[in-house]
Amino acid sequence: MTDGNNTNALWGGRFSGSPSEIMETINASIGIDQRMALEDIAGSLAHAQMLAATGIISSEDGAAIARGLQEIRSEVERGEAKWSAALEDIHMNIEVRLRELVGDAAGRLHTARSRNDQVATDFRLWLRTACDRIDAHLTAYQAALVGQAQAHAETVMPGFTHLQTAQPVSLGHHLLCWVEAAERDRGRFADARRRLNESPLGCAALAGTAFPIDREQTAEALGFDRPMANSLDGVATRDFALEVLAAAAICATNLSRFAEEIVLWTSKRFDFATLSDAWSTGSSIMPQKRNPDAAELVRAKPGRIAGALQTLIIVVKGLPLAYSKDLQEDKAPVFQALDDLELALAAMAGMAGDLSFNTQAMEAAAGEAYSDATDLADFVVRELGKPFRDAHHIAGSLVKRAESRGVPLSGLSLEDMQSVEPGLTEDVFSVLSARASMESRTSYGGTAPVRVKEQAERWSARLKERQDR
């Protein structure tokens, strides 16, 4: 393309001068929207085919346009396309290149459409593909977690509330929590994808067109479920992008929480897990350091991704109908946010599969801080028939006594226990261990290994079925 071209020359007789250098700079979006080149070509091919089928342009012009667009698509795929900032955006760059290839027929392509419905169509096509990529990343992340959960259904670890040791749980159970969260993330992206899968093409600038176009044909050709029913809505709305960003922000937040656990678990203070060299870095000054930098970077990603959501909300919050140039600012935050999310998902899938666990340290920690106190209270309820609040008080009194002596609950004698609750028997000691506590939680969704294995197997089957489709 010739850099001497400028968009003012394309506006026909309305403009005779050239834009200022600053105007060209602030107005150009080609550095961002060139990522939608293939989507723009796909939309143009569908539009040209429809124009020819309805007789709005000749079949000869339609065929010439199609040949030219296919050549441009090949140039893009080969990395040979050249873009000019003077031509503002991806749409005008492709149109000018098409004219170079096929001559005057190219000028007929823009019949019955505007850059307003064109960019809205491109953006939806791009986001649809991005949602599909993210779904694949989430599935890979889930598969890594499920594999670890199957291997560690019987591994005991401390469960926490307020980051204080609470009750013993299965490591597999803990990991499956993040599988469930990822599945909800998948659902949010699927919902967003379903709602965005309507075609704005044919809405034109804002009011539709007087040409006898067939919007059903172009919608079907591009894989949309239907054409959008209101032409103003078709060009003005960006709620579809907001919804994808909202899903991305929630997903990144979920990833960040597990990333924080990886940071904690791989520290020597916890010593629960180790990441291999593939997922660790060193220090420029301290030779002994082994830093979980990938997890820390994932932990930081919600700042950028939630920031992108807020950016787009502010861009669109006060815009009147229909199209305003403000909407040119919609794509940069979306592209960056979804790039960040895909990278974070790939990193988390890698780390989830890479983690090796110090099961002895986990089990030892699970038995600390009187984590079996609830099991003692449950025993009093179950065996002695006392109300739970009374049992809670009995267990709390025994914890206080054990704590004053520096021993676990199992370190108290039966006489010590009977001095607080005479009805207690030797059987109480059978529940006073981290493993016994974990194995007793057999309710649906509980942490008992038998339940964890069932859930892990269910997830393994679901993921295999998904991959086979």
Side-chain angles (χ1 to χ4, degrees):
M1 292 184 186
T2 304
D3 286 340
N5 288 330
N6 67 73
T7 49
N8 277 4
L10 298 171
W11 308 145
R14 182 63 181 87
F15 288 82
S16 56
S18 297
S20 71
E21 183 178 345
I22 292 174
M23 179 61 195
E24 279 197 351
T25 300
I26 197 171
N27 201 42
S29 62
I30 187 61
I32 300 297
D33 60 28
Q34 63 182 267
R35 289 184 64 161
M36 301 191 304
L38 294 178
E39 287 78 12
D40 194 74
I41 292 166
S44 291
L45 282 166
H47 186 66
Q49 184 179 29
M50 180 275 297
L51 291 176
T54 55
I56 296 172
I57 66 173
S58 69
S59 57
E60 292 78 12
D61 283 342
I65 290 168
R67 285 195 304 273
L69 289 170
Q70 288 160 359
E71 173 57 29
I72 298 170
R73 181 171 60 194
S74 295
E75 291 173 356
V76 172
E77 290 172 342
R78 293 194 304 266
E80 297 173 0
K82 295 181 175 62
W83 311 119
S84 168
L87 294 171
E88 286 189 18
D89 57 32
I90 190 62
H91 323 299
M92 298 311 303
N93 270 268
I94 288 175
E95 184 173 331
V96 169
R97 176 59 178 150
L98 182 64
R99 184 177 289 272
E100 290 175 358
L101 290 171
V102 304
D104 290 344
R108 301 189 184 281
L109 174 59
H110 208 56
T111 307
R113 76 172 182 185
S114 162
R115 285 193 299 176
N116 296 354
D117 61 333
Q118 193 176 353
V119 69
T121 302
D122 294 356
F123 202 12
R124 286 173 184 260
L125 289 172
W126 190 92
L127 278 171
R128 192 174 69 186
T129 303
C131 286
D132 292 342
R133 290 197 307 269
I134 289 168
D135 185 79
H137 281 299
L138 281 164
T139 296
Y141 171 54
Q142 288 176 302
L145 290 167
V146 169
Q148 292 277 28
Q150 289 177 309
H152 291 285
E154 302 207 27
T155 298
V156 188
M157 69 169 289
F160 300 93
T161 62
H162 309 277
L163 202 56
Q164 306 295 312
T165 301
Q167 292 177 304
V169 298
S170 157
L171 171 57
H173 188 61
H174 188 116
L175 295 173
L176 287 176
C177 168
W178 298 120
V179 177
E180 297 284 347
E183 188 68 6
R184 291 191 296 276
D185 289 323
R186 287 189 67 244
R188 278 182 280 271
F189 280 105
D191 287 345
R193 187 195 191 284
R194 176 175 55 81
R195 272 185 286 276
L196 70 80
N197 201 37
E198 296 182 339
S199 175
L201 192 58
C203 292
L206 75 161
T209 178
F211 289 96
I213 61 173
D214 186 344
R215 293 189 63 211
E216 294 283 351
Q217 178 183 333
T218 52
E220 182 179 356
L222 293 169
F224 288 114
D225 293 331
R226 63 191 67 83
M228 295 188 73
N230 185 287
S231 60
L232 288 168
D233 187 40
V235 301
T237 187
R238 292 299 184 270
D239 58 3
F240 61 93
L242 287 171
E243 188 171 6
V244 173
L245 281 180
I250 296 170
C251 180
T253 301
N254 284 334
L255 296 178
S256 180
R257 294 183 70 186
F258 183 35
E260 163 66 359
E261 291 185 330
I262 293 174
V263 171
L264 292 174
W265 291 355
T266 55
S267 70
K268 285 302 177 184
R269 288 287 174 240
F270 275 74
D271 198 27
F272 285 0
T274 303
L275 286 169
S276 74
D277 291 354
W279 297 101
S280 304
T281 63
S283 165
S284 64
I285 189 172
M286 295 170 282
Q288 82 282 7
K289 291 296 295 297
R290 187 183 191 84
N291 299 325
D293 281 8
E296 291 172 359
L297 290 165
V298 171
R299 188 174 58 182
K301 290 299 182 185
R304 291 165 64 97
I305 295 170
L309 172 60
Q310 188 65 20
T311 296
L312 188 54
I313 286 173
I314 292 171
V315 166
V316 303
K317 73 168 185 65
L319 293 184
L321 292 178
Y323 182 86
S324 298
K325 193 70 169 184
D326 310 53
L327 293 178
Q328 184 167 289
E329 296 297 314
D330 59 357
K331 287 168 285 298
V334 173
F335 292 164
Q336 184 63 65
L338 298 189
D339 285 350
D340 285 338
L341 182 61
E342 287 192 59
L343 182 58
L345 280 165
M348 289 303 291
M351 286 185 286
D354 183 79
L355 283 166
S356 58
F357 295 98
N358 184 344
T359 58
Q360 290 182 332
M362 283 186 156
E363 185 157 3
E368 295 173 352
Y370 305 101
S371 64
D372 49 3
T374 305
D375 300 276
L376 173 57
D378 288 346
F379 181 89
V380 171
V381 171
R382 189 171 56 250
E383 301 300 326
L384 305 184
K386 292 186 177 293
F388 181 78
R389 284 301 167 205
D390 293 348
H392 186 285
H393 182 77
I394 291 166
S397 298
L398 288 170
V399 166
K400 184 177 181 180
R401 180 167 297 192
E403 194 172 38
S404 69
R405 297 182 184 180
V407 298
L409 282 171
S410 60
L412 294 174
S413 67
L414 181 58
E415 291 74 18
D416 288 328
M417 293 199 175
Q418 289 175 336
S419 69
V420 174
E421 172 45 59
L424 288 171
T425 66
E426 194 76 31
D427 290 343
V428 71
F429 291 100
S430 67
V431 302
L432 298 181
S433 74
R435 184 163 293 279
S437 175
M438 176 187 72
E439 291 175 348
S440 71
R441 310 290 170 181
T442 56
S443 58
Y444 178 79
T447 193
V450 63
R451 297 283 86 88
V452 175
K453 290 175 183 177
E454 289 172 355
Q455 293 294 331
E457 181 57 34
R458 177 179 69 88
W459 272 112
S460 180
R462 286 181 68 178
L463 292 171
K464 183 178 187 306
E465 180 183 353
R466 191 181 302 164
Q467 290 165 350
D468 289 344
R469 285 202 297 266

